């Protein structure tokens, strides 16, 4: 993971469409997506490649690309404008994509996915609010078993508001955390995993008091990928009491 974060700093801010979290996740990129000469190609299943100009980079100088940037050119009042729409990165140089980010014309992140343990399955999937550019939802596979087990929900300002956890791996949330202004207020537990809240813990000194579940999950049931209220025009997905948002490398000039 340290290698991923170190290399990620070369590529600017991140962003992702959230995949539904049920069952085993698909491999990020089949190793067969290679050109005839054996060089890996951009993966068209991760972001739209139609009409895009693909620029590649070879980070480890092995003669094969491991970064793919997709650019789209549009006419803006008679002026040709080119902007990056997607970036795919293979950090461990095995032919599979380990990180994918999509952008809109304004340069705001739309969605982001990452495979931290290089097993060919997404470990993090995030969606951003297209109006504010802030993180909206993140799903995580915290035990790397191929299933998302944590979902984080953020408000329009990018502040963590709710975390739903699946502790027994059945695809249903059974622990709900409520936050306000980044502060944990309360935790609800479904100890017998029947979809009903069995107990509630108030965090001492937390104010204001908020009843749980909230409108995000009014009956304390449902799957981790149950939709939250729309913060903008983006479809949205959900680490901990200290809201660690998706690993965002420092912004660097886009080539």
């Amino acid at each position: 993971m340290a290698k991923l974060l170190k290399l990620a700093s070369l590529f600017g801010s991140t962003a992702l469409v959230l995949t539904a979290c049920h069952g085993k996740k698909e491999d990020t990129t089949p190793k067969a997506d290679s050109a005839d000469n054996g060089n890996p190609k951009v993966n068209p299943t991760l972001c739209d490649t139609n009409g895009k100009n693909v620029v590649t980079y070879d980070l480890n100088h092995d003669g094969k690309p491991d970064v793919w940037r997709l650019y789209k050119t549009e006419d803006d009042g008679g002026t040709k404008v080119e902007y990056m729409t997607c970036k795919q990165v293979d950090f461990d140089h095995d032919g599979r994509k380990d990180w994918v980010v999509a952008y809109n014309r304004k340069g705001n992140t739309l969605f982001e996915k990452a495979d931290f343990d290089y097993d060919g399955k997404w470990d993090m999937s995030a969606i951003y609010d297209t109006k504010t550019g802030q993180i909206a939802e993140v799903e995580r596979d915290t035990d790397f078993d191929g299933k998302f087990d944590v979902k984080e929900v953020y408000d329009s300002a990018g502040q963590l508001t709710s975390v739903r956890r699946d502790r027994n791996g059945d695809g249903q949330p059974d622990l709900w955390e409520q936050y306000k202004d980044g502060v944990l207020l309360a935790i609800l537990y479904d100890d017998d995993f029947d979809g009903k809240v069995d107990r509630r813990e108030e965090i001492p000194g937390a104010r204001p008091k908020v009843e749980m579940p909230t409108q995000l999950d009014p009956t304390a049931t449902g799957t981790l990928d149950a939709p939250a209220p729309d913060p903008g025009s983006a479809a949205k997905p959900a680490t901990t009491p200290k809201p660690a948002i998706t690993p965002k490398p420092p912004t660097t000039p886009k080539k």
Side-chain angles (χ1 to χ4, degrees), residues 161-198:
T161 62
S162 176
V163 176
R164 309 167 192 175
R165 301 183 186 275
D166 174 15
R167 295 173 294 170
N168 67 340
D170 66 351
Q172 304 270 352
D174 45 59
L175 185 152
W176 298 263
E177 300 172 6
Q178 181 67 44
Y179 295 80
K180 183 173 179 58
D181 298 326
V183 177
L184 178 63
L185 300 180
I187 306 175
L188 269 68
Y189 300 86
D190 173 12
D191 292 324
D192 55 4
F193 308 112
D194 65 349
K196 299 178 182 179
V197 174
D198 299 308

Side-chain angles (χ1 to χ4, degrees), residues 86-238:
C86 183
K87 179 165 51 186
Q88 301 178 13
V89 184
D90 173 14
F91 287 110
D92 62 347
H93 318 294
D94 67 347
R96 297 179 187 268
K97 309 303 184 292
D98 307 308
W99 186 37
V100 57
V101 188
Y103 305 92
N104 62 16
R105 182 170 177 173
K106 294 181 179 179
N108 293 333
T109 300
L110 298 176
F111 70 84
E112 173 188 16
K113 297 180 183 180
D115 174 13
F116 297 121
D117 60 350
Y118 306 128
D119 66 348
K121 294 177 176 24
W122 299 124
D123 304 311
M124 184 279 297
S125 178
I127 286 180
Y128 290 71
D129 187 328
T130 56
K131 290 184 177 180
T132 65
Q134 298 288 344
I135 188 74
E137 292 190 6
V138 183
E139 285 195 326
R140 303 182 189 277
D141 176 7
T142 60
D143 56 4
F144 303 102
D145 67 346
K147 300 177 186 178
F148 291 122
D149 48 49
V150 171
K151 182 174 184 177
E152 305 163 5
V153 180
Y154 297 81
D155 62 20
S156 59
Q159 286 277 2
L160 183 66
T161 62
S162 176
V163 176
R164 309 167 192 175
R165 301 183 186 275
D166 174 15
R167 295 173 294 170
N168 67 340
D170 66 351
Q172 304 270 352
D174 45 59
L175 185 152
W176 298 263
E177 300 172 6
Q178 181 67 44
Y179 295 80
K180 183 173 179 58
D181 298 326
V183 177
L184 178 63
L185 300 180
I187 306 175
L188 269 68
Y189 300 86
D190 173 12
D191 292 324
D192 55 4
F193 308 112
D194 65 349
K196 299 178 182 179
V197 174
D198 299 308
R199 59 190 174 95
R200 170 190 175 100
E201 290 183 359
E202 294 284 348
I203 306 304
R207 292 293 185 272
K209 181 176 180 179
V210 176
E211 292 299 325
M212 278 280 292
T214 65
Q215 293 180 356
L216 295 174
D217 200 351
T219 61
T221 62
T223 61
L224 288 174
D225 58 319
D230 189 354
S233 58
K236 300 174 294 186

Side-chain angles (χ1 to χ4, degrees), residues 53-67:
N53 176 35
V54 179
V55 178
T56 63
Y57 301 87
D58 178 10
L59 296 181
N60 65 340
H61 307 292
D62 65 350
K64 297 181 180 180
D66 36 45
V67 177

Side-chain angles (χ1 to χ4, degrees), residues 70-82:
L70 282 67
Y71 293 87
K72 183 177 182 179
T73 301
E74 292 184 349
D75 185 275
D76 185 4
T79 301
K80 296 294 183 181
V81 177
E82 184 180 65

Side-chain angles (χ1 to χ4, degrees), residues 3-13 57-60 66-67 69 84 87 89 91 99 103 248-255:
K3 179 180 179 182
L4 173 62
L5 296 177
K6 180 179 179 181
L7 289 175
S9 65
L10 299 173
F11 303 109
S13 59
Y57 301 87
D58 178 10
L59 296 181
N60 65 340
D66 36 45
V67 177
R69 291 190 175 194
M84 184 166 60
K87 179 165 51 186
V89 184
F91 287 110
W99 186 37
Y103 305 92
K248 284 189 172 184
T251 303
T252 56
K254 297 179 182 178
K255 297 182 180 180

